[in-house]
């Protein structure tokens, strides 16, 4: 199976049947990263979530993944956990 995104993939995370894809949506603007996350249910091949990611000013995504309970989390280089 092939998964398409609007830009280069930055990272992947999985939890049960869900695959989260963090990707760049455009070139950085004024030092600010432009990224989105797409969550796909791999059992049904349906996109269940696709939205922009909010990062601290002038920061980059440092880590992202699912919690033990299945919540999608992201930490940026500004040390903010989303």
């Amino acid at each position: 199976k092939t998964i398409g995104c609007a830009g280069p993939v930055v990272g992947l995370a999985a939890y049960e049947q869900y695959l989260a894809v963090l990707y760049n949506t455009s070139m950085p603007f004024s030092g600010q990263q432009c990224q989105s996350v797409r969550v796909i249910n791999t059992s049904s091949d349906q996109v269940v979530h696709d939205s922009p990611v909010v990062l601290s000013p002038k920061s980059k995504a440092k880590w992202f993944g699912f919690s033990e309970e299945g919540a999608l989390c992201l930490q940026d280089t500004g040390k903010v956990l989303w």
Side-chain angles (χ1 to χ4, degrees):
K1 298 184 184 200
T2 302
I3 298 170
C5 289
V9 173
V10 176
L12 300 169
Y15 177 79
E16 295 180 353
Q17 75 270 19
Y18 298 104
L19 175 66
V21 183
L22 181 66
Y23 62 96
N24 288 329
T25 55
S26 66
M27 296 296 292
F29 178 73
S30 295
Q32 185 68 30
Q33 296 290 315
C34 301
Q35 298 176 331
S36 287
V37 64
R38 178 174 290 172
V39 180
I40 301 159
N41 182 328
T42 58
S43 297
S44 63
D45 292 332
Q46 297 293 316
V47 174
V48 295
H49 183 79
D50 196 359
S51 68
V53 172
V54 178
L55 300 173
S56 300
K58 309 241 184 217
S59 68
K60 299 177 183 178
K62 181 176 182 178
W63 174 89
F64 98 110
F66 287 96
S67 71
E68 290 182 8
E69 295 82 22
L72 189 58
C73 303
L74 181 138
Q75 181 181 14
D76 63 26
T77 54
K79 299 184 179 155
V80 175
L81 183 64
W82 303 94

